[in-house]
């Protein structure tokens, strides 16, 4: 059965009228939700830890900023917009002691609730509003009168108004302009992790590097390998994004199409799909979450090493050199552009 897609007419901002929304964190998603909601007429305050670099940023954008504990006390709806592995400590020390009956906890990713690193009391609503795009895109689309498609989910609903609140929040950030689909915390968490690991981030970056290495090791110029395995990927992804895989194929040459349908299944073959199923199982049974939580508790040493090793890959030097001759890309340095909490 096809999912119902909720649009603007299905959501009403009155469910947030007269209420205070606290956004805990002012990073990618936090700043976008806060600004969009404010411009939609919602009373928004920001909760940040003492010494946060985001305090002055939030104040300059016109928000009242409080400690996390004070923001939770003042708010009716609390959006926990901090990293997955930071949520438990913030929740335990600042949110839980000030979370009273009738309030609503809101998340943009189901990790903490689904894997029970946070166990909320039964007398509060717990909802999910997850835009299917990064915060900076959520903000830009809203300012252009458009919206990023979003997901909503209900985990606890003692008030019997949780869905109305979730839809109102989604409308306030522009999500209902793009379309909203209802899901569950479990489904959102597991599909999101799988997509990131197997296709969007892990799968794509590994495929790019493997292709680059194959060409360079065969004696081809690194610059040629970069263009063929990384640079042109955006052009194809844009076509897929706009028109689907078949639409992309319509726009490429017959030779490219033949290579696509004949060779693609040799690269992403039955063995790759079998590995994908293992990855999904490890997400479903909690193995990935336990490993990630343990890595964080151990100081993220392996995590940092793998990131540092990746940053030293030859494709990064080649890309840095080539992007320098593309004027439209010179200002696109997004590293560390916004604090997360």
């Amino acid at each position: 059965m096809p999912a119902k897609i909720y649009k603007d007419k299905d959501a009403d901002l009155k469910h947030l009228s007269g209420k205070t929304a606290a956004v805990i964190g002012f990073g990618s998603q936090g700043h976008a939700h806060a600004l969009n909601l404010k411009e939609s007429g919602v009373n928004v305050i920001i909760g940040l830890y003492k010494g946060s670099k985001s305090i002055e940023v939030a104040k300059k954008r016109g928000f009242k900023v409080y400690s996390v504990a004070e923001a939770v006390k003042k708010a009716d709806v609390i959006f926990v917009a901090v990293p997955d592995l930071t949520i438990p400590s913030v929740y335990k020390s600042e949110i839980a002691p000030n979370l009273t009956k009738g309030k609503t906890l809101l998340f943009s990713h189901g990790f903490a609730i689904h894997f029970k690193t946070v166990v909320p009391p039964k007398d509060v609503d717990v909802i999910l509003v997850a835009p299917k795009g990064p915060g900076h895109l959520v903000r830009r689309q809203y300012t252009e009168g458009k919206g990023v498609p979003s997901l909503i989910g209900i985990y606890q609903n003692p008030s019997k108004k949780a869905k109305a609140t979730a839809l109102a929040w989604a409308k306030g950030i522009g999500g209902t302009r793009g379309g909203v689909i209802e899901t569950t915390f479990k489904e959102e968490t597991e599909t999101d992790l799988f997509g990131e690991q197997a296709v969007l981030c892990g799968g794509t970056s590994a495929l790019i590097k493997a292709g680059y290495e194959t060409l360079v090791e065969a004696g081809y110029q690194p610059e040629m390998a970069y263009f063929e395995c990384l640079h042109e990927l955006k052009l194809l992804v844009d076509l897929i994004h706009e028109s689907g895989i078949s639409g992309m194929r319509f726009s490429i040459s017959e030779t490219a199409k033949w290579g696509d349908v004949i060779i693609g299944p040799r690269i992403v073959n039955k063995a790759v799909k079998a590995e994908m199923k293992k990855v999904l199982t490890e997400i479903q049974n909690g193995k990935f979450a336990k490993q990630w939580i343990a890595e964080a508790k151990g100081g993220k040493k392996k995590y940092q090493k793998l990131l540092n090793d990746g940053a030293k890959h030859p494709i990064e030097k080649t890309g840095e050199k080539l992007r320098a001759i593309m004027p439209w890309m010179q200002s696109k340095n997004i590293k560390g552009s916004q604090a997360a909490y």
Side-chain angles (χ1 to χ4, degrees):
M1 184 178 177
K4 179 178 179 180
I5 299 176
Y6 296 91
K7 301 292 286 184
D8 269 345
K9 63 181 176 58
D10 302 307
D12 197 334
L13 283 167
K14 75 178 182 182
H15 294 289
L16 293 175
S17 179
K19 296 182 177 180
T20 297
V23 175
I24 310 303
F26 203 70
S28 178
Q29 287 292 338
H31 93 284
H33 284 235
L35 288 165
N36 292 4
L37 286 165
K38 181 183 177 185
E39 291 173 21
S40 292
V42 179
N43 180 37
V44 181
I45 61 175
I46 308 299
L48 293 167
Y49 68 88
K50 185 177 180 180
S52 170
K53 294 178 182 178
S54 293
I55 292 175
E56 289 307 312
V57 177
K59 285 181 177 179
K60 287 178 181 177
R61 304 305 288 267
F63 292 102
K64 291 183 178 179
V65 180
Y66 300 91
S67 69
V68 174
E70 192 64 27
V72 173
K73 288 178 186 177
K74 291 178 176 293
D76 302 286
V77 183
I78 300 106
F79 173 32
V80 188
V82 300
D84 290 330
L85 299 190
T86 303
I87 289 175
S89 61
V90 174
Y91 179 82
K92 182 179 180 181
S93 62
E94 304 291 333
I95 297 175
N98 303 291
L99 195 60
T100 52
K101 181 179 178 179
K103 291 182 184 286
T104 297
L105 272 180
L106 186 148
F107 299 84
S108 62
H109 183 34
F111 189 101
I113 293 295
H114 179 57
F115 291 118
K116 301 189 184 305
T117 60
V118 163
V119 180
K122 296 296 183 183
D123 57 1
V124 301
D125 287 357
V126 181
I127 62 177
L128 174 83
V129 180
K132 298 313 293 176
H136 294 84
L137 183 62
V138 173
R139 178 59 183 156
R140 187 172 77 236
Q141 289 277 293
Y142 180 91
T143 60
E144 293 174 356
K146 296 176 283 191
V148 172
S150 301
L151 305 175
I152 61 166
I154 312 302
Y155 184 75
Q156 288 183 182
N157 187 18
S159 74
K160 308 302 180 188
K161 299 176 182 177
K163 187 171 180 178
T165 302
L167 281 170
W169 190 285
K171 183 171 184 173
I173 64 171
T176 49
R177 297 173 184 173
V180 170
I181 295 174
E182 187 170 5
T183 184
T184 64
F185 274 68
K186 178 181 187 296
E187 184 177 57
E188 186 278 334
T189 302
E190 292 176 355
T191 57
D192 187 73
L193 291 175
F194 177 81
E196 291 169 349
Q197 293 170 24
V199 181
L200 304 177
C201 304
T204 299
S205 59
L207 186 65
I208 290 169
K209 288 191 286 187
Y212 175 90
E213 289 166 3
T214 300
L215 287 176
V216 173
E217 288 164 8
Y220 297 100
Q221 296 179 83
E223 292 81 5
M224 291 297 294
Y226 179 88
F227 277 122
E228 296 301 336
C229 296
L230 189 153
H231 178 79
E232 290 191 40
L233 180 64
K234 181 185 184 304
L235 310 179
L236 277 296
V237 170
D238 284 348
L239 289 171
I240 293 170
H241 191 260
E242 293 164 4
S243 306
I245 294 172
S246 294
M248 176 274 290
R249 287 173 173 165
F250 179 80
S251 299
I252 61 178
S253 72
E254 286 192 336
T255 303
K257 274 195 279 278
W258 176 242
D260 174 350
V261 298
I262 290 296
I263 305 303
R266 286 177 55 187
I267 303 302
V268 182
N269 55 25
K270 290 181 180 179
V272 172
K273 190 170 179 182
E275 198 63 31
M276 284 183 170
K277 289 182 177 180
K278 289 181 185 178
V279 167
L280 180 56
T281 297
E282 291 171 4
I283 290 168
Q284 292 169 328
N285 64 24
K287 182 178 179 180
F288 168 78
K290 289 175 184 175
Q291 289 177 332
W292 177 219
I293 291 167
E295 174 67 17
K297 287 181 178 178
K300 299 183 182 176
K301 294 175 184 177
K302 183 176 181 180
Y303 167 80
Q304 290 296 346
K305 182 182 184 305
L306 291 172
L307 287 178
N308 291 337
D309 289 347
K312 295 173 185 175
H313 191 282
I315 198 172
E316 300 294 353
K317 284 292 182 184
T318 303
E320 187 178 332
K321 180 176 73 173
L322 291 175
R323 289 191 297 272
I325 64 173
M326 303 177 201
W328 61 92
M329 289 189 177
Q330 287 183 10
S331 63
K332 296 286 183 73
N333 180 7
I334 61 172
K335 294 180 182 177
S337 61
Q338 186 128 21
Y341 171 48

